[in-house]
Each structure stands twice: as C-alpha cells, then as structure tokens.
Amino acid sequence: MAEPAAVSSLPREVREQLAELELELSEGDITQKGYEKKRAKLLAPYVPQTQGVDPALQKESRPQMPVPSATPASASSSSSKFHRARSGGARDERYRSDIHTEAVQAALAKHKEQKMALPMPTKRRSTFVQSPADACTPPDTSSASEDEGSLRRQAALSAALHQSLQNAESWINRSVQGSSTSSSASSTLSHGEGKGTSGSLADVFANTRIESFSVPPDVTATTSTPSARPAAIDLPPSGIVKGMHKGSNRSSLMDTADGVPVSSRVSTKIQQLLNTLKRPKRPPLKEFFVDDFEEIVEVPQPDPNQPKPEGRQMTPVKGEPLGVVCNWPPALEAALQRWGTTQAKCPCLTALDVTGKPVYTLTYGKLWSRSLKLAYTLLNKLGTKNEPVLKPGDRVALVYPNNDPVMFMVAFYGCLLAEVIPVPIEVPLTRKDAGGQQIGFLLGSCGIALALTTEVCLKGLPKTQNGEIVQFKGWPRLKWVVTDSKYLSKSPKDWQPNISAAGTEPAYIEYKTSKEGSVMGVTVSRVAMLAHCQALSQACNYSEGETIVNVLDFKKDAGLWHGILTNVMNKLHTISVPYSVMKTCPLSWVQRVHAHKAKVALVKCRDLHWAMMAHRDQRDVSLSSLRMLIVTDGANPWSVSSCDAFLSLFQSHGLKPEAICPCATSPEAMTVAIRRPGVPGAPLPGRAILSMNGLSFGVIRVNTEDKNSALTVQDVGHVMPGGMMCIVKPDGPPQLCKTDEIGEICVSSRAGGMMYYGLAGVTKNTFEVIPVNSSGSPVGEVPFVRSGLLGFVGPGSLVFVVGKMDGLLTVSGRRHNADDIVATGLAVESIKTVYRGRIAVFSVSVFYDERIVVVAEQRPDASEEDSFQWMSRVLQAIDSIHQVGVYCLALVPANTLPKTPLGGIHISQTKQHFLEGSLHPCNILMCPHTCVTNLPKPRQKQPGVGPASVMVGNLVAGKRIAQASGRDLGQIEDNDLVKKHQFLTEVLQWRAQATPDHPLFLLLNAKVPLVPVSVNAVSLLSIFWQGSGARRPELTPWKGTTVCTATCLQLHKKAERIASVLCDKGHLNAGDNVVLLYPPGIELITAFYGCLYSGCVPVTVRPPHAQSLVATLPTVRMIVEVSKAACILTTQTLMRLLKSREAAGAVDVKTWPTIIDTDDLPRKRPAQIYKPPTPEMLAYLDFSVSTTGMLTGVKMSHAAVSGLCRAIKLQCELYSSRQIAICLDPYCGLGFVLWCLCSVYSGHQSILIPPMELESNLFLWLSTVSQYKIRDTFCSYSVMELCTKGLGNQVEMLKARGINLSCVRTCVVVAEERPRVSLTHSFSKLFKDIGLSSRAVSTTFGSRVNVAICLQGTSGPDPTTVYVDLKSLRHDRVRLVERGAPQSLLLSESGKILPGVKVVIVNPETKGPLGDSHLGEIWVNSPHTASGYYTIYDNETLQADHFNTRLSFGDAAQTLWARTGYLGFVRRTELTAASGERHDALYVVGALDETLELRGLRYHPIDIETSVSRTHRSIAECAVFTWTNLLVVVVELCGCEQEALDLVPLVTNVVLEEHYLIVGVVVVVDPGVIPINSRGEKQRMHLRDSFLADQLDPIYVAYNM
C-alpha cells in the first residue's frame, strides 16, 4: 500500500490510532505482521490505489514507518504529533544535547565530506530481509566508494580506482601490524546478484586480462552445487604442476610486486581494506623484537603527557546536621497509625486511569484500615494457628503492575505492619522475561515462598493449559495471595499490630541489577528507612498536606522513597502518573501539576523532553505552584540539556529557575545528594565544562583546547542532611582521591542500605568501606557505603556526578563512560538509521584489554547504504571526540534487543547475547586493526647462526641429533620371494602357477547383485553410481554383497588379455604411459597388471563424477595432458561419458588420446610378458593433488615397489593365510599400494570396500570387519568421520545385530597429515562398546616423496602422545607441557617407522640437522623413496632439492635424503622398540607449504580452524588462508542464515585470543562449500581461488577494519 500523501492530512483519531500502533510495536506488544495488518486497515480509506499495480506488490514495497512530514507547528494533536516526532529514529532523550550534537558535527566536518572509502560488507540479498521495505531495495551494485557498477569505463577503471584509493584520506589512520605472508588470497564479492551479473569487478578485469602463456583448464569452479559437499574431488588450481618448467604454465600464479598482487582477480574491497590499514597506527608499535621464548603482549605505556591529579587529598564533606523535630514519629508505621486514625479523610494517594484522569483516591484512613486487614490476614489466615505460613521476618514478593499504586501501597504497609519484609519486583510478562531479568536468583537468595498480587494481575499472568501459573525460569515455587479487599479478613477489635521504635531489623528489600546482569536485593533497615524519610523531609522542606506529582516507578528508588514513604511521614498527597499514561499523553504530569497546584514533581529527563514536545497544545498550563521539580536522573551528565531546554520553554508558564532540583541516587546509598529549592533571585549554581580527555584519565580539567570534546555537567546539590561524603579511587583499595580527581562517591549516613540480602562477601566490599589515605592507613572508623556513582566535590561543597560505575569502560588504562558514547552515537544523524535512539554500549574483554562494543537497533526502513554510512560516521565521531576505538559496531533489527521492565535496553543481557552469538545483527562492522594495539611485536629471525653452531650448541647441551630409523632390512629373514623375484609381475606369474585358486581380492558392495558375478561384472556394479550419475537407492543391508573375487590365476589371465589389447589396439611401445580410469574395484587391479605385462607405465586416475563433470573432468584432462598418456583404459560407461555432450562442455573431447574399453576383451594372450631390464626402470606414476592445490606426479621404480611391499609385509606380518579389509580410495599414495600391490606380493587376501559404498550403507565397513573377523583394516579419515558422525547414536543397534570388533588388532588411518587425535579418540571411544580395543586405532604417515614412512604394524610399542605448547610451535620450537595447560596441543605419534626407513629432522633454511625435540623438516632415506617428480622438461634443481639432497654437515651428510615437506620432531621415549633399544617417536606437526607466515611467526591452518570451529554451534566447517597480509577465515554455517553475522565477532575474538592474530576478512558460506579431497583434507588454496573468482556465493563477507 502506498503512503498517504501527508500523515498530517489524516483525521486526528486515525493519527492517534497510528501512534498507538507504533508504540505497541516498539514495546513488543504486537508482532511486525500484526502491526502491518492493522496499519494497512487504518490507512486503506485514505490511500489512492496506484493504477496498474497489483495491490499486494504495493503492500510489499512501502516503507515501514509513518513519514514525519508535518512540522511540529502544523500538527494539531499533542499525542499524534508527539509520536511522529518520536517515531523510528527519535533519540533516547536522556542523552539529548544540542551542544554535543554541534560538537559531533564539527568533529565529523574535519574529515573530508566524501563517501567512506571503507569496503562495505557483502550480503546475500536473501539473507536479512527484515521487512517488506528491504524486499524492494534494488541490489547494491556498488562494492565501494565509487559507482563500480557502471562498466563503461573499463579501461580507465583500474587506474582511476587506484588513484582515488591512494588519495582517499581515510579516517582510519591505523595500519596492519604484520609482515609478509606465504600463501595468500582475497575476494571481490558482488552483493549476491548471482554470478551472471556483469557488475562484478572480477568480470571487468577478466576482459582486460593479459596472458602470455596458454593456460591449462581452470578447475576452480567446484561450487556449482553448493547444497551438498561435492563428492570428494582432488582439484588442482589452474595449471599449477609441481616440477613443470617455469615458463610453461604459470599465468594463474599471483605474482606480487609490492605486496599488492597484479593478478586480474584482486578484489577492490580487499584493496580498499588494505588502503585503510596502511595508515600509521596510534600508538605506533615497535618494529621488531628478538624474543625466542615467549610472545610478550605489549603493555600500554602511560602517555607522558597525560594529565595527573595535582590537588591535595580530599577531606570527607559533611552535610548539615539532621534537625530534631519534636513530632517526628519513632517509626514510619507509627506515622501511618497517627494519620490513619486522626486524619482519616485526608487524601494520601491518587491513581490515574489510562487517559490520565484521576480514577481513585486512597485516604489515610483507608490506607490504615486496609493495611491492618492485610497484616492480620498474612499472619493469621494463611495457615493454621499452630503452623502459620508467614512469621515476622519472612520475605514476601510484591508483584503489582505499574498502573496500580493503590494496591501496592496497601500491600507494602500491610507487610510493614505484619513485620514481614516486602520485596517489590516487576510483573513477569512471559516465561522468558522473568528468567531474563534474573529475578529468580533474587527470590531464591531471599528465600521467598509467597507472592502478593491483585486479582487482575493474577489473571493476566501466563498460565499453563490447566490454568496454573507457569513456573517462571529460575524462580522458586511460589504461593500466590490476592490482596483485594474482598478476600481479606477484618481484624478483631483486640488485635493490634506490633509497632516498636525503628531498629536495625530489615524493613524492605529493593532489587538492583548489577553490571553483570545479576539481580541483588539491597536490604533497608527500619531505622534507615525512617532516617532517610527525615533527611528527605528536611532537604526538600516538605510540609504537611502538600501535593506531589510522581511520574517515577513507585516500587523502587526515588519513586518509592518520596511517593510511598516520605509521603506518609509528612501526610503528603501523591498523584501517581503511570508510565503507560505518559506514553499516550506525555503532558499528563504537567496537567496534574497545574490541576492540583502541586508543590513538588518527581520526574526524569525523558518526562521533561516529552512534555516539551507536546506542550504546544496546552497553552494554559501553569507551573507556578512548583517549588521543586526533582530531576531524579540529574546524575546523568547529559541531563543538563533537558533541564535547560525545559526551563526556557516553561518559564513563560510560571516555572521558576530555582525550582529545578537535580538529585543523585543509588540503591545502596539511597539519596546521595539533592539540590535544595533555591531562594528567588539568588544566582543559579555554576556549571562545570570538563575536558573529556582529562576525564578519561580520571582527572578534572576545565576544557580549554578542543570544544568538541567537552562535557558540561550540572551539580546535584549538597550532601544529604546528617550524611558525610568522600570520593575514593574506583579500583583497588578505597584510597581517598585528590581534590581534582574523579572517583567513586561514598556516603556515610544512617539513611543507607545495610547489605545485599544473603550475599555476605559482596556486602563487605560495598557497605562496609573504610577509606584509606595515600599511605594505606584508614581514615577514621566510620564505615562508608559505595554509591556506584563517579564524580567529585566542587567549589562550595557542590556535588558533581560524571557517570556510573556500571557504565565505566576502562580501555588501555583510560576510563570512558558508556552514556557519553551513546550520546555521541545519537548525535550522528541517527534519525535515518537508529530505531527510537536505542543504542547499547558495553565493553568485552578480548586479548588482555577491554574493547568497546556499540549495538543499535536499526529502523525497519533504513537502507544498507544509510546504515553503513551511519556506522562509519559513528566510528569517526567516537574516535575524534573520545579518542578511543570501537571494537565492534552492530545493528540489530528493531525491537529485538532484550528490554528492562520499563522498556529500556537490558545491557547485560545484550552483552551476553553478543558473547554467545545470539544477537543476530543485520549489519556489523568490526575494527580490530584500529583497537588492538597490544599485540606482541613481530618476530625477526636471527641471521648469522650457522648450522654448525647449532650442532655444536646441541652437543654442548648434551642433546642427541634428532634421527630415527625402522628395523634394518638386512637383518630380517625373508626366505621365499625377495631373492627369487625382483619384479611384481614375476611374483604374480609365480603365484598363478603355484596357487592358482588362492583368492587374492574380494570386492564388496552395498547393493544386492542382480547378475551372476564374474570379474567382468564388476564394472556394472561398481561403476554404477559414479559412471551413470544415478543415486543408489537407500538400502541398508547389514552385510555387504560380494560383487566379485579374483584368484591368482584369474588376475594373471585377465592381465594377459589387457596386455594383448594394448599391443594390438593401442599399438603401444614399452615405456608409454597409460591412464587407467576405473571406479574402485578389481578391474583397476587387472588393468594395472595388464600394463606391467605389456611394458607400459600405468597412471591411475579417479574417474570424473557424472553429476559434476564441469568440476571433475578438467582434473582428469590435466593429468592426461601432464602425463603425456598415449592411451586411456576404461569401462564402456565411462568411455561414453568421456565422449558425451556434457563432457564437451567442460573440455575439448576431440583431443583425448586413444580410449580402449576393457569390458569385453578377446581371449588372447600377448606374445611375451615384458620383463624390465633393471629394477630401476619406471613401474608406475603416482599423481595426486596436494591440499595447497599442487598437482604432483612422482615416479615409482620396480625396486621401490618391491621394497615398499616388503617393508609393509614385515611391519604388518602379512602372509597368504591372512585377510585384511581396505576401505580407501585406490588412486594414489599408500591407498593405491594397499589396494593393488600388497596382496600380490604377500599373498594375503584383500577385502576391498569402495568408500563411496558407505554412502548407501554406513554399516558396510564395520559389519565386514566383524563378519570376516578381520585383524587388520585400513581406512581414511573421511571414512572414520562418516562412521563417527553417522553411527554415533546407533551403537546399541550395532551391538544388537551382533557386530563385534574385538577381533581387530590394528585399524590404521592412511593419511598425509598431522594425526587427527580428537577424531581417532572419538572413534575408539564410540565403538569401545562393540569390542574395539583402545589400542587398535593408529595412523600412517607418508608424503609425495615417500608414500609410506610410518605405519603402526603389529609389533612394537603403542603410539605415544605428547602435549606441546602452541605458542612455541609458532616460533618453530617444541616445548612439552602438561595436559590441560593453556594453549596446549595434543599430538600423537604417526605410527612406527617402516623397516629400512631412516628419518632425520633438519632446519629447512640451513639444511643442518637439529637436536632431539626440535621442530624441523622431516627428511627421509629409504629403498622405496620415489625416484623423482615426473616432469615434462626435467627441472633438475627441483628434483635434486626434493629427492637427492644432503645435509650441510654432520655424520649423515654423505647420505642422500628426500625432503618430505612436513614439519615434525623426533623424541626418544622410555619405551623399548622391537630391536631392544629405546623407541624414537616421530611426531608430524604439519605441511610446510600449508603454513601461514604472519607477523614473523609460522601458523598451521588446522590450529586456527580448530579454535574457530569451537566458537559457535552453527559452524559446521572452517578453513583459513591468507591474502596480501590479511588472514581470511571461511566458515560454513549450518544454522539459519540470520546467525551468519553472529559469527563475525566470535571468529575475530577467538583468533585474537588464542593465536594473537587479527582476522582481516570473515566469509560465511553454506555447508559443503569448503572443498575436501578424497583423503578428507581441506583444499584451502582451491577455496582461495574460488573466493577470488567470486564463486563462493557467500551469505556474508565482513571486512574487519
């Protein structure tokens, strides 16, 4: 529906109804949907229908709020005018200050009037549609400060942009503290318009890309189907092949000149972020530090120019003596008895109805008689005579609504007369509400079992289905008593309450919420209650019969003290104006003062402001009767503006300037100070104009230098009669302040709280404070009470308050006040963005300091651009005026912040939501680079320490060189094969003759077989899901089905046929490379041996996935190209797929080499079986994609194959009678060796389970192991994770089905990474109940240069674990710590070193050997090391460096070593190895080329990722990488999209706290976006490339400032 032309033109009643509606929405009384419905109904008759537009669409696109188009002057109705002015963006009036607004605008004007050159966060459009207004916002194509959406200026764009960013005088003059990084990445992310838009900068750049070389296919587009994680795919980025000639295919490697990449894909946003961070930081960090042992957090040094207090030590200030008046009663109850019996007709309290008209007046006689009835009922009628429910001294909750002061007053005095202790609390509105206020804790600590309330209120409480009052969260069980007169028993004539003189026994308990959110009860004694009433009577000069108007909450604070207690003491008449009336008629209190000729009014600043906004409609009100206008939040430093403005407006209505009396109060000290009513004509008290900079150092300085950062405060009068005041330091012992120092106000008086009920420890620190002087000795013996107010005593003993302890934010040793920061935020044109001025400011402790967080509610109709603009200006303003950085600024949807009972923002709850990640912001801006100035200095590596000096140092220190080895092959008896057969082909031929029917392989499948199974049938079943792309039906048979078996003879014969086909059809020569493209199965094995029989070199490749050809086929293509394959062997189904139209869309299918399908082979033998001339000849090529995206092919010779099989046979004790189960991918590394080679060499039977079969039947692997009683089984981390997550809650079912794993001796995870201890532990623990031994699970370790270095095997000690210090690992050192030490990391040994293998730990830079327990690169020497990289052009340097390298000196310097590229250390343990010597354990820490070099330190991504994954339940997976010095964290969100922004601060906090790093960019994506390869490893560089190419379709991208 369209907006009416002008809201002012609507009839008055409609405007009033609209205003009402809006208030209901703001208070949360109706939902957004309900609001829109009712509003549409109201406006329907006045809205012209737009022609040709569907009414539904109109409704969608209108803004949320009524447009405040009428000027106040033209508004006719007070209430509607008032609401419009308050609508949406009206500020929270406690902080209104025109002077401050001008100061903020002036500060902002200093910065150039340009749009901010800050990168705006990127949002997926679907994510945060918080209102229909958002739905019609056009997609934001501008990703930065310029209109980059326009593509007309393609050529000039990059130059112009670069220039504009260089010139932009960004307000953030801070820089990243850091050094260069190793690997890096970034992104330009369009605002979610979809990948087709040409608006994204990546496309602009793509058109102007200069390419000097032909590029192999780019296989980075994995995320075409982000809904589920793509089937584990090994994906190299475009053309990065290890060992290729440096001139061949390098165009996609990002070459950087001065740290800014010249690549086409650099995102403007990251560039903008870098530019804003290039500014020098304040204060500047030291350049480098040399510290080899501990990262020392920078301690902020005091500023030498900071102001220091210069005055003398203050002396406590006394108030005037408390006068003795002859007729003051001995107790407050006695006063009630006196007036109730002698002045029964005098009015005591008048209540108003919802329209603001008087509805009932309670007389003193009625109050006395009804209180008497209640007291009698409480003591005598609730239980039996012998077992009363209440006894004197018991606590009782008073639950009365804010619009019923009469019933409350009767209940309060009824409790006093019955000598039970009333505890007034708020009415709980919902189950959640009460728990949120933590009132349950108060009720529990006070031991309350009874609650008094009215009949109406009781009916309104939330009920269960059977009509009982719900059990509120955290509350004790309560008995509810209704106090309406009709339910009370009249007391007998002879019954009189016991009214004794006031003593120190408790009178009532007032609740108070602490900064942390806990609710405590301040206990007030009867004598303190009386003394406080006397002091107030004297200070305010009350006389009998005066009328006072009370707008405050009568249950607590000044509203209770004046309107309920002092009222009775002096026989006053109180007119109580409830908050609900103020909402509809803000002038009602002024009208009551006028109508009743009231002498005193009790108000807050907001009431002054609302009255000013509505006053035009009431020209005839007079305030001349007021002698005191008590402003009870006069302690708020921003109150002075409201007081001044109210006076200037209402002076013409008879308001006297001397009548304005601000006062300062606190629940503990009660009234701290109040300005006495002045004498007409006397000069008004002065003002203090203080320097905010001085205040932040706790010093009083008159502001002279910069008028923008001044704070004007008014006095709150003098100390109360009979009281004494001193100012003490806010932290540490209560030392008296100097006269020019700000501190906490402490009061000593009979009229103050006595304790926090039931909390003795906290009580002592607050209610029993003895001030001390500078030497620490106590000043006097009188105890003081801490008021929680910050201030000072000025000239003439006037008290000034500048803030509250609860709002104190201490950042880097400087004190800031939350209220001051709120005021600054509101002064920045908040009207367009902030809903009703609702802003919360608090601090959170992150990385050894407090950090400021600002949270505001965003108007429903605020645009992204406006919000971001406002956020960046607020950051400028706070930086400029308060000289402090904001750590996080968040905007949340309107009405979503937790509320206090009266509708304010519940700060501690908001803070808790922020820290828990349940705030659900719709916009967020983090500025850690600006705020965090205490990071350790970057590390500088020490030059000049040569390897020889390290060696000598180690020897002097008595450390042995870190080396270890497996058993010596020469000493091991190996009788049958090794001497006889050098080649695997010979072994197979020998087995086919000696044991032709011995089964070597058994392939299992999750499907029930449909055809008689033979070796040929394997392709039908095993390829089914991968070749055809069809999804297997969800069958869950417990036991797998044998798809096929292969005996020695079958395997030999099939291999012969393939060899003959290769010669006949393929016309291949010995030494030609042949790609084998098969699903996991026996066909792959037969094809492999067929190649060996014909003298060809097999290359096993994972087949492409039929459903994601675009992602998977280019990898196949690349391996075919790089390996220069002469032929492809495959199945018919896959052959069709390679030549299909879909394949043609991904690669050029015309250039495939010869493709031969092996489904139907002619029964023909080759003329002869090839025998290699020497064992050093190439046997096969092993291609694999590393996690960093490198595609590497290594050469395996026949000698290496035999050596490897022999080492595994010896380590695992494999013989022909044994069975092992393998659930691994058979395409590379140790998985291929176990699947294809070991059975032929050792003669054992391998049961093969393709991992993909587990998708259809999770139980397949474990049930097979149980069914065949397997002793040794091999799997990957992916398989283990699948079983842990999928079967974790089904262990009982497994047990019931008879699955038993007690037969398992070794369960080995095949991996090329640091052991995932938490996963292996979970797996062991989970399946312990079905017999799995805790010692069974272990891991292997291999790398590209040597696929099997460690393997646990059957003999030898169990794998050992150690805890190492994470911080020392960053420094390339190992420091062992105890379990549970902070920052400790659990590492497990990666199995035992294989026979014939030697390892040494080497410094990767100097190539010198390292000592025991030192971190270095693992180098290996063994007979089965690969011969080198398979390269097109022989790049000898890389070859020599990785495969045939020597130590720079030492005993082992003559040995040729291969570099694994992994960091680790060797540690000698107390265990004994099989050889009888002490066992040396090898611990792998991580891959060298994956590490991130940041701030001169070395980080392993997995450590950062582990921290991030723990922060929020909705983080499914996480990956990190770096780009141009920025750390980028990508998290997968498994919760709802509104949680996306909650993750940004949590991720930033945890990385800062645990790793001392500032996150540059946080990217939130859908589950399944982070690519994971077949071994279960994250492919981070691949993710980085997708990020750069804008292919992630992120939910949200946050750029941290």
Side-chain angles (χ1 to χ4, degrees), residues 1168-1216:
Q1168 67 177 56
I1169 291 177
Y1170 176 81
K1171 182 178 175 183
T1174 72
E1176 274 61 51
M1177 289 285 288
L1178 195 52
Y1180 70 95
L1181 291 179
D1182 184 327
F1183 271 92
S1184 159
V1185 180
S1186 76
T1187 51
T1188 53
M1190 287 288 192
L1191 173 66
T1192 40
V1194 293
K1195 301 185 285 194
M1196 290 294 285
S1197 67
H1198 287 279
V1201 168
S1202 302
L1204 177 54
C1205 290
R1206 181 171 175 230
I1208 293 172
K1209 178 188 175 195
L1210 294 167
Q1211 192 85 331
C1212 298
E1213 298 176 5
L1214 298 175
Y1215 305 105
S1216 51

Side-chain angles (χ1 to χ4, degrees), residues 398 402 422-427 437-439 442-443 446 508-514 518-524 553 555-557 560 666-668 756 900-902 906:
L398 266 51
N402 287 335
V423 184
I425 59 171
E426 304 303 331
V427 178
Q437 307 303 332
Q438 288 203 341
I439 285 176
L442 170 74
L443 299 179
C446 293
Y508 69 94
I509 294 174
E510 182 172 321
Y511 82 82
K512 168 235 161 105
T513 307
S514 74
S518 53
V519 174
M520 300 183 288
V522 176
T523 310
V524 180
D553 181 1
K555 296 194 291 298
K556 55 188 290 213
D557 209 76
L560 173 71
S666 90
E668 291 86 355
Y756 292 125
T900 58
L902 291 179
H906 199 301

Side-chain angles (χ1 to χ4, degrees), residues 99 637 640 675 685-692 695 700-703 710-715 742 792-795 798-802:
I99 305 168
V640 62
R675 196 188 288 173
R687 302 280 162 84
I689 301 173
L690 306 176
S691 150
M692 278 204 185
L695 286 178
I700 302 158
R701 289 288 175 271
V702 175
N703 186 62
L711 181 68
T712 305
V713 285
Q714 63 181 352
D715 69 279
I742 302 280
F792 62 95
V793 179
L798 285 174
V799 181
F800 290 86
V801 176
V802 296

Side-chain angles (χ1 to χ4, degrees), residues 1347-1365:
V1347 297
I1349 297 167
C1350 300
L1351 199 165
Q1352 183 60 26
T1354 49
S1355 58
D1358 289 341
T1360 55
T1361 55
V1362 290
Y1363 286 89
V1364 298
D1365 179 50

Side-chain angles (χ1 to χ4, degrees), residues 183 246 414 545 562 633 648 833 1180 1309 1328 1418 1540 1542:
S183 47
K246 64 174 183 249
H562 289 263
D633 57 351
S648 69
T833 308
Y1180 70 95
V1309 187
K1328 182 181 72 181
I1418 301 167
D1542 285 316

Side-chain angles (χ1 to χ4, degrees), residues 1277-1420:
Y1277 277 126
S1278 316
V1279 167
M1280 189 168 269
E1281 194 163 19
L1282 206 59
C1283 291
T1284 308
K1285 286 181 178 168
L1287 299 176
N1289 52 4
Q1290 302 192 37
V1291 176
E1292 285 308 312
M1293 198 200 301
L1294 292 170
K1295 209 187 277 184
R1297 300 283 174 141
I1299 291 184
N1300 186 343
L1301 303 182
S1302 56
C1303 52
V1304 176
R1305 182 175 55 171
T1306 61
C1307 170
V1308 183
V1309 187
V1310 173
E1312 295 184 6
E1313 59 177 294
R1314 176 201 298 177
R1316 300 188 199 173
V1317 187
S1318 58
L1319 178 58
T1320 53
H1321 277 187
S1322 304
F1323 182 81
S1324 302
K1325 214 166 169 182
L1326 210 54
F1327 298 112
K1328 182 181 72 181
D1329 292 349
I1330 51 171
L1332 183 66
S1333 158
S1334 58
R1335 303 171 53 185
V1337 181
S1338 64
T1339 61
T1340 69
F1341 170 59
S1343 68
R1344 287 283 68 206
V1345 298
N1346 189 316
V1347 297
I1349 297 167
C1350 300
L1351 199 165
Q1352 183 60 26
T1354 49
S1355 58
D1358 289 341
T1360 55
T1361 55
V1362 290
Y1363 286 89
V1364 298
D1365 179 50
L1366 256 180
K1367 286 193 283 208
S1368 65
L1369 281 185
R1370 294 174 206 154
H1371 289 263
D1372 288 338
R1373 288 193 319 277
V1374 177
R1375 189 160 70 93
L1376 300 184
V1377 291
E1378 292 298 313
R1379 177 181 179 174
Q1383 298 261 334
S1384 60
L1385 171 70
L1386 176 60
L1387 290 178
S1388 171
E1389 184 185 358
S1390 298
K1392 301 291 167 284
I1393 296 173
L1394 281 169
V1397 176
K1398 292 183 194 148
V1399 296
V1400 63
I1401 305 296
V1402 181
N1403 181 323
E1405 274 103 33
T1406 64
K1407 297 190 180 177
L1410 290 170
D1412 204 31
S1413 293
H1414 273 59
L1415 190 67
E1417 188 181 4
I1418 301 167
W1419 286 15
V1420 61

